[in-house]
Structures are given as structure tokens and as C-alpha cells.
Amino acid sequence: MDGVTMLPPAAPDYVRPQPLAALKHPRSQTQKRDAPWRFVACSVVKQSTPSSTTPSHPTPTQSMQPQIDLPPLDYQSNLPIHDAFILAAEKELISDAVNNCTMIKPSLREGLVQAALANAVQDCLRKTRSDPAGLAKKEIEEFGQRWAAKNAGLLYMSLSAPFKHLMAACKELAFSVVDRGYDLRPSLWSNTSESKWKQKKTKSLIGDATWPLKFLFKKDEETGQWMAFEHDALLDVVLGVVRKLKYRPYIQDLDNLYCTAAAAIYCILMQFSSGKLDREIEFSAESFKFVYDLSKQYIANVIQKNEKLAKRWSDVKARTMTRLADIV
């Protein structure tokens, strides 16, 4: 050696230069040196040595995104988790049709179906995953939106059925109750034409320019006061449709069903008002939702803002629920 301590470039970073006294130099210790010892600076970066308490490899931290096991994005009818999505969405849509608004236009039903599917997917995944972290919740929400958007078109017809079933049942029941409910059928011993009798009677029921129309009222047996939305025909339609479709467990409020029944009866009365008994008018949201809207507005702006009328309407709905419990 030439008297210079050298560290090879690839030396481990924990190597330290040894003291000069520890080095065995070939020269005699008494021999003089021509020049003082020189040291060459080492380019190795000094790092702390591994300890017994510090892992030699990095471990996952809490900031790492958790892995979520998500079901297939395409709907599969034989997959249990997908069946759970559909069942949850069906329940939400039935409740919406029964309590919020039955008379939804088809274009708006599509949005309701997709929203219900997204909610169903997210709820089902949260229940099957144990307390997911914040990032996992976000991933579940995003997956629910994607799954709903992907499959809403395929599942629309079946999931939107509660709205169509309710409207069809309301019209069917309205057709069966209006004849006796509004005295639209003349006596068997009468020589009066039934078509002309119906035409005359219906005009008196729906021909006014003011709202509520006459067909919605019933005279109170005790007070003699005419009460809106208490006609027996309305009650018969509400009771009949809930019984027919077995929707009583979903009922939270009856305003929607009473207003839908009012629109259905109005549709049938319009059919009879022409005098042509074979005339058929489609009971659709596009044609008859204005009757529904007027009924809802009257309940909200007149009945609910009058203390006595509000109490009376609350009692009507409570008694309707009691009757449903008795017959359904």
C-alpha cells in the first residue's frame, strides 16, 4: 500500500475508516515519510444501521387504500348479490309509488329506477362489508353509480312495474265503483238510455270550473257539511288497490293514493261524459296528472292549513288504515 487509506466505491455504507495505528504498513516505523499521510474523502452517504426493533422492510400504512371485493358490473340473474340488489331496489320503488307519487311520467321513472338501483347496490355492499374505511365507502358509492347506470336500461321494465300496476288497478277499480257510487246506472224498470243517463250525470259531477269538483265530496252524516275527498268511491278505490296489490306494508301516508284515486275516477267520468259507452281513454300521467296535482295542492294549501279540516283529514286517513288492517 502507498500509505493512503482507501474505501472502495462499492463498500457497504456502514464501513468506517480504521485508525491509522491499526494498519500494518510494510515500512519500518522508524523510517521517515517523504510526505504526511493524506486521506481521500469517501463518497458513501452515511445511514443509520438497522436495529433489532426496526423492520428491514416497509410495512403497509393506514394511508394505503383498502381493497374492496366488488361483484361483476354486468347483471347476472343467477348471482345472489345481484338478486339482493334487485330486491332492495324493488322495495324502494314500491314505497315511492305508494307514498310519494304514483303518476310519474315514463321519462322521470327512468331516473327513479337508476337512483333506486344505485342506493340498493350501495346499501347491500355496506351491509356485507364490515365497517369499511372512508376510501372504501367512496369506492362503494362510485361502484353503485356505475352498476346502476350499466344495468338500469335492462331492468327498467320490471322495476318500474309498481307505478304501472297502481295506475292500472286504480282505473279498473274506479270503473267498477262509479256506477253505484255516483248513481250512473238508471233503474232496470226505467226506459231511460243508460248512455244518456251517464252523460247527463257525469257533466254535473265534473262540469264545474272550480276545484274541488263535485265528485270528490260527501255529505257528513252528522254535521251535514260537505267534505272533500271523503266520497265512498274514493275510499273504495284506495281500499281495493291496496288489497289487490298487497301493498299495505309499504304505506306511510295516504295522500298520494287518495289523489291517484281521484284522478282515476275523473278519467272514467270523462269516458262516460261523451255518451259513448265504448269509448276508452287511457289513464296516463301525461293526460291526468293535473287532477292529481290539483288534489295534492288542495290538501296542502287548504285542508292542512285549517286546524279543523286538518284534524278531520288526519282522522280519515287513520280510519282508512284501520279498515285496511281489517280487510287486507
Side-chain angles (χ1 to χ4, degrees), residues 101-114:
C101 184
T102 303
M103 302 188 69
I104 297 290
K105 294 180 180 180
S107 58
L108 298 179
R109 288 180 195 165
E110 295 174 3
L112 287 177
V113 168
Q114 184 165 330

Side-chain angles (χ1 to χ4, degrees), residues 89-104 112 159-167 169-170 238 241-261 292 296 317 320-321 324:
E90 283 178 348
K91 290 180 178 180
E92 180 177 334
L93 290 166
I94 291 174
S95 179
D96 195 62
V98 169
N99 298 290
N100 295 333
C101 184
T102 303
M103 302 188 69
I104 297 290
L112 287 177
L159 290 178
S160 64
F163 299 91
K164 293 175 282 187
H165 290 164
L166 273 166
M167 291 188 65
C170 280
V238 171
V241 73
V242 175
R243 184 176 185 179
K244 178 182 179 65
L245 299 178
K246 298 179 173 59
Y247 282 169
R248 187 170 74 90
Y250 296 93
I251 296 177
Q252 300 170 6
D253 187 78
L254 287 167
D255 284 3
N256 171 65
L257 290 181
Y258 266 98
C259 293
T260 305
Y292 176 94
K296 289 277 283 189
K317 293 190 288 184
T320 303
M321 290 300 297
L324 281 170

Side-chain angles (χ1 to χ4, degrees), residues 167-175 264 268 271 280-283:
M167 291 188 65
C170 280
K171 184 183 180 183
E172 177 185 345
L173 289 159
F175 187 87
I268 300 302
Q271 287 185 189
E280 181 74 18
I281 297 180
E282 181 185 3
F283 181 47

Side-chain angles (χ1 to χ4, degrees), residues 7-314:
L7 288 177
D13 57 8
Y14 53 82
V15 173
R16 300 286 186 273
Q18 299 182 22
L20 292 178
L23 298 175
K24 294 182 179 181
H25 201 275
R27 297 181 184 179
S28 171
Q29 293 183 357
T30 59
Q31 185 177 356
K32 293 183 179 180
R33 294 184 295 271
D34 297 334
W37 292 105
R38 291 178 299 131
F39 294 90
V40 178
C42 179
S43 62
V44 178
V45 179
K46 182 179 178 181
Q47 295 182 354
S48 60
T49 59
S51 64
S52 60
T53 59
T54 304
S56 59
H57 300 286
T59 57
T61 63
Q62 292 181 351
S63 63
M64 295 180 66
Q65 182 172 349
Q67 297 297 317
I68 304 299
D69 182 21
L70 296 172
L73 191 61
D74 291 320
Y75 171 66
Q76 299 177 21
S77 59
N78 59 345
L79 196 63
I81 187 63
H82 283 181
D83 291 340
F85 295 165
I86 304 307
L87 181 60
E90 283 178 348
K91 290 180 178 180
E92 180 177 334
L93 290 166
I94 291 174
S95 179
D96 195 62
V98 169
N99 298 290
N100 295 333
C101 184
T102 303
M103 302 188 69
I104 297 290
K105 294 180 180 180
S107 58
L108 298 179
R109 288 180 195 165
E110 295 174 3
L112 287 177
V113 168
Q114 184 165 330
L117 277 174
N119 293 336
V121 172
Q122 293 164 13
D123 290 344
C124 289
L125 291 180
R126 290 191 189 105
K127 291 176 182 177
T128 57
R129 270 63 179 175
S130 57
D131 192 22
L135 288 175
K137 290 181 179 179
K138 183 178 180 181
E139 186 178 354
I140 287 175
E141 290 176 0
E142 291 176 350
F143 178 80
Q145 296 292 340
R146 289 190 291 115
W147 200 95
K150 178 77 172 178
N151 299 288
L154 175 66
L155 300 169
Y156 170 76
M157 293 302 294
S158 61
L159 290 178
S160 64
F163 299 91
K164 293 175 282 187
H165 290 164
L166 273 166
M167 291 188 65
C170 280
K171 184 183 180 183
E172 177 185 345
L173 289 159
F175 187 87
S176 67
V177 302
V178 294
D179 280 341
R180 294 305 179 193
Y182 296 104
D183 190 26
L184 299 183
R185 175 157 291 152
S187 168
L188 188 62
W189 305 103
S190 172
N191 294 325
T192 303
S193 166
E194 181 164 335
S195 61
K196 291 182 179 180
W197 179 269
K198 277 181 165 61
Q199 185 178 27
K200 179 180 178 180
K201 284 280 189 177
T202 53
K203 286 184 178 179
S204 68
L205 293 170
I206 62 175
D208 295 337
T210 58
W211 189 268
L213 296 176
K214 186 177 178 181
F215 78 94
L216 297 172
F217 286 88
K218 180 184 177 180
K219 190 174 184 179
D220 183 81
E221 298 174 357
E222 296 181 1
T223 65
Q225 184 179 359
W226 289 92
M227 308 302 300
F229 300 101
E230 293 192 27
H231 197 283
D232 289 339
L234 287 171
L235 175 63
D236 289 344
V237 172
V238 171
L239 296 177
V241 73
V242 175
R243 184 176 185 179
K244 178 182 179 65
L245 299 178
K246 298 179 173 59
Y247 282 169
R248 187 170 74 90
Y250 296 93
I251 296 177
Q252 300 170 6
D253 187 78
L254 287 167
D255 284 3
N256 171 65
L257 290 181
Y258 266 98
C259 293
T260 305
I265 291 174
Y266 182 85
C267 173
I268 300 302
L269 295 178
M270 283 291 295
Q271 287 185 189
F272 293 161
S273 65
S274 66
K276 300 178 181 179
L277 299 185
D278 59 348
R279 182 188 182 190
E280 181 74 18
I281 297 180
E282 181 185 3
F283 181 47
S284 65
E286 290 84 353
S287 298
F288 293 97
K289 191 171 186 293
F290 78 95
V291 179
Y292 176 94
D293 291 338
L294 287 171
S295 300
K296 289 277 283 189
Q297 291 169 13
Y298 187 82
I299 292 173
N301 299 330
V302 178
I303 294 178
Q304 297 291 3
K305 292 184 177 181
N306 182 289
E307 184 177 356
K308 291 184 178 180
L309 292 179
K311 175 62 169 59
R312 173 83 177 199
W313 181 236
S314 179

